[in-house]
Amino acid sequence: TGTELQRLFKISSSFSKVGDPRPGQPYKGGNFCAFLPHNSQGLKTAVLLKKAFERGLTFQIKSCEGEERVTWGLIPHKTSWAGGKARNGYPDSQYLQRVGTVL
């Protein structure tokens, strides 16, 4: 629509590496979608989020019910345009400021 930025991450299943919770163990990947407003602050945030992704800071591997899987890391992402802050969605007037501080 021109008022939003959407980024889809497709993380393949693979094997964890040194530094992960259980090196050498298989983990399950997944599809992850993140949203930003298409404005100057959203575009600046997108650049910083891209750098974080390139440095391996966006996702982490966690054990969940006996299975290793990829999950969002410590950097907060908006995963919906609705639901507000409580559901990782918008509206959340402080999100861009919060994520900018983390980045």
Side-chain angles (χ1 to χ4, degrees):
T1 65
T3 60
E4 59 191 56
L5 297 171
Q6 179 178 341
R7 178 76 174 151
L8 178 64
F9 300 91
K10 292 185 178 194
I11 309 295
S12 299
S13 297
S14 188
F15 291 87
S16 58
K17 300 178 180 116
V18 172
D20 290 327
R22 296 177 59 206
Q25 295 297 309
Y27 64 83
K28 184 176 180 180
N31 295 328
F32 302 84
C33 194
F35 301 91
L36 289 168
H38 191 258
N39 58 30
S40 62
Q41 193 173 5
L43 292 168
K44 287 178 188 176
T45 301
V47 169
L48 294 174
L49 287 170
K50 181 179 180 196
K51 287 180 184 179
F53 177 78
E54 290 168 350
R55 294 178 179 152
L57 303 173
T58 303
F59 297 99
Q60 60 188 353
I61 299 171
K62 282 190 175 178
S63 184
C64 181
E65 299 177 7
E67 178 180 67
E68 303 296 310
R69 60 179 46 230
V70 175
T71 63
W72 289 107
L74 299 177
I75 299 168
H77 284 75
K78 289 298 179 184
T79 57
S80 173
W81 280 112
K85 182 179 176 182
R87 294 193 176 168
N88 293 326
Y90 293 96
D92 182 353
S93 62
Q94 299 301 310
Y95 170 69
L96 292 175
Q97 181 180 6
R98 263 194 332 276
V99 75
T101 299
V102 171
L103 293 167

